[in-house]
Amino acid sequence: MRRPLIIGNWKMNKTASEAAALIRDLRERVPASPNADVVLAPPFTALESARNALGPSSWISLAAQNLHWETHGAFTGEVSASMLRDLDCRYVIVGHSERRTLFGERDENIQKKVRAALMHGLSPILCVGESLAEREAGRTESVVTAQLNGSLAGLTTQDLATVTIAYEPIWAIGTGRAATTEQAVTVHRSIRLFMETGWDSQTASAIRILYGGSVTPQNIESLLASDAIDGALVGGACLDPDSFATIIGAAQTRRA
Ligand code: PEP
């Protein structure tokens, strides 16, 4: 059984001092547990204060929301993998649909980001997902497969050991309209099949596939009831410590 993983994507929310307060609040509500991995992804500017608020060897890990593929140089406004490692990030979100749609990210560059993360010991959380029009045209599987292909082609099974995939249908993000467990499971199964065909069954059965898109305390139990769903990438609900604590609690107490 893969260990559940819950990631809170803060997006462009919380100053450095607000981040520290939110983490203190969250930690008061959530007990440490070896049953689930928990990751917070504050904005770049709050990573240092988040690290300090978490303290050394915290059971909660840090992620960045993006990175640049080069190690250093004339890339104004960008942040490299080694800069993130220096702030004790263990994970990095790559290819979030907001980056794809609002900032023009393409699979070609997403692949470079995945490789840069892996090269510097960061675990990439690769986001994939279809738009509503693509779903309605019956293209969900082909869109998701093309994104996976474009972002992961050429990686070794060893590389994939630290990669996580987040299936995030665009129509479900921030809309309050989550995919049903059945809809998510169908896509998760096709992702696992893609991994098995492209690599091998061991890689396919080891990789964690998260669901993201309007996850709440109300729907997390139903999503986690399927063993095809290994956790959640949570946006809006992770900014409310009570809601996020409930979501984490559901993962910690999930029946094996
Ligand atoms: C996200 O931004 O990755 C996300 C899933 O957002 P929300 O939970 O708010 O839909």
Side-chain angles (χ1 to χ4, degrees):
M1 185 81 174
R2 297 168 293 270
R3 189 162 42 190
L5 169 59
I6 301 291
I7 305 176
N9 174 15
W10 295 11
K11 310 194 187 194
M12 196 173 73
N13 293 292
K14 304 296 173 187
T15 62
S17 50
E18 287 167 349
L22 178 56
I23 287 172
R24 277 195 298 273
D25 204 340
L26 184 67
R27 290 184 62 171
E28 276 168 23
R29 290 159 207 260
V30 190
S33 160
N35 297 340
D37 293 327
V38 177
V39 177
L40 305 178
F44 291 138
T45 48
L47 283 169
E48 184 165 18
S49 87
R51 173 184 65 176
N52 295 341
L54 288 170
S57 57
S58 169
W59 63 279
I60 299 177
S61 305
L62 277 181
Q65 298 175 18
N66 186 24
L67 82 166
H68 192 271
W69 56 85
E70 294 291 348
T71 53
H72 62 277
F75 301 100
T76 302
E78 296 292 330
V79 170
S80 72
S82 56
M83 293 170 181
L84 299 175
R85 279 303 302 258
D86 190 52
L87 288 169
D88 292 340
C89 285
R90 287 189 51 200
Y91 297 82
V92 60
I93 298 172
V94 179
H96 190 282
S97 65
E98 287 154 14
R99 303 254 8 128
R100 293 176 190 260
T101 55
L102 302 175
F103 302 101
E105 281 197 7
R106 297 281 165 268
D107 290 333
E108 186 194 336
N109 289 346
I110 292 167
Q111 180 176 154
K112 290 190 206 163
K113 292 183 179 199
V114 169
R115 287 170 179 268
L118 290 169
M119 190 160 326
H120 291 87
L122 284 167
S123 299
I125 298 149
L126 172 67
C127 300
V128 294
E130 81 288 2
S131 67
L132 187 57
E134 288 163 341
R135 171 164 283 266
E136 287 175 348
R139 296 183 51 226
T140 298
E141 195 176 325
S142 64
V143 167
V144 168
T145 302
Q147 290 170 340
L148 291 169
N149 220 359
S151 315
L152 301 178
L155 294 189
T156 65
T157 53
Q158 203 185 340
D159 291 332
L160 289 166
T162 64
V163 172
T164 297
I165 295 168
Y167 167 56
E168 297 209 305
I170 298 171
W171 47 271
I173 296 179
T175 59
R177 183 186 163 196
T180 62
T181 302
E182 199 186 0
Q183 286 172 320
V185 166
T186 303
V187 181
H188 283 219
R189 293 210 170 117
S190 77
I191 293 173
R192 218 171 283 287
L193 190 60
F194 170 85
M195 300 306 298
E196 186 170 344
T197 311
W199 287 270
D200 54 42
S201 58
Q202 213 183 328
T203 303
S205 66
I207 198 159
R208 289 193 284 197
I209 306 175
L210 313 182
Y211 167 76
S214 296
V215 172
T216 63
Q218 287 71 42
N219 60 24
I220 186 69
E221 299 259 4
S222 150
L223 290 161
L224 292 180
S226 167
D227 62 8
I229 299 177
D230 300 316
L233 178 49
V234 184
C238 80
L239 295 172
D240 175 58
D242 238 351
S243 297
F244 198 47
T246 306
I247 292 168
I248 295 169
Q252 290 176 333
T253 55
R254 175 190 199 165
R255 278 188 297 278

